[in-house]
Amino acid sequence: MSQFQVPLAVQPELPGLYDFPQGQVMVGGFQGPGLPMAGSEPPLRGGGGDGRKKRKRCGTCEPCRRPANCGACTSCTNRRTHQICKLRKCEVLKKKVALLKEWKQHIPVWASQTPCPGERRHLDHICRSQPNLGEASSPFL
DNA sequence: CGGAACGTGTGG
DNA sequence: CCACACGTTCCG
Ligand SMILES: [Zn+2]
Ligand SMILES: [Zn+2]
């Protein structure tokens, strides 16, 4: 009614998705679009899945509720990228991905000593998702 | 089945 | 480091 809730209101995070270490989600002070909704776990098609399931946008953050694409960003102009308009890119999705798996998997490596260029390369990608996280997240360092 | 979007790797 | 492109998954 009042709010333009796109018919995509998806759960915050399916329980059992990428598991987090403890609670490093919440850097500084964020609004918190992670809708605290009950979790109805879908039939988990993990039978033959690798676990690389694609998450979906929260549908509560500003970019998520953007009615349409800007039509000026590369994602809008270049549809071959298969990416959503930068103005509509879910923040939650950006953050979650930032603190995702590769980190945990490689942290002990780079914590010990600067990893090889190859490993470091991947970390950069995830870091880029959110400048905020690039600094505050790593209980190891 | 088709459209849309995420996740990842590579190139510049 | 950033931007772009592909493959894959998800939903209607
Ligand atoms: Zn756009
Ligand atoms: Zn969102």
Side-chain angles (χ1 to χ4, degrees):
Chain A
M1 304 322 198
S2 303
Q3 304 303 355
F4 308 95
Q5 216 82 310
V6 285
L8 233 164
V10 64
Q11 284 105 284
E13 310 126 51
L14 287 336
L17 199 58
Y18 311 97
D19 34 66
F20 273 73
Q22 42 238 298
Q24 44 176 297
V25 61
M26 269 286 191
V27 280
F30 186 68
Q31 311 133 44
L35 201 76
M37 210 172 164
S40 302
E41 228 227 66
L44 184 74
R45 72 202 65 228
D50 306 276
R52 262 171 292 266
K53 285 172 11 59
K54 249 187 282 245
R55 298 169 341 239
K56 232 181 12 181
R57 62 196 218 166
C58 68
T60 61
C61 65
E62 295 269 331
C64 272
R65 74 175 85 169
R66 196 118 267 209
N69 55 309
C70 72
C73 72
T74 56
S75 297
C76 283
T77 51
N78 294 314
R79 297 292 287 192
R80 79 191 87 160
T81 71
H82 302 160
Q83 261 222 295
I84 190 181
C85 172
K86 272 145 190 205
L87 268 61
R88 293 191 333 171
K89 186 64 181 203
C90 175
E91 293 181 65
V92 177
L93 218 157
K94 283 202 267 211
K95 290 165 191 229
K96 296 300 175 62
V97 167
L99 304 178
L100 255 173
K101 70 249 140 153
E102 306 246 7
W103 256 47
K104 217 181 113 179
Q105 198 177 291
H106 291 231
I107 273 169
V109 181
W110 65 271
S112 283
Q113 56 186 282
T114 310
C116 19
E119 304 295 313
R120 169 70 194 212
R121 189 93 38 101
H122 291 196
L123 289 168
D124 291 322
H125 273 210
I126 292 152
C127 243
R128 157 167 44 85
S129 294
Q130 256 284 333
N132 284 286
L133 303 168
E135 203 207 290
S137 299
S138 290
F140 301 100
L141 49 57

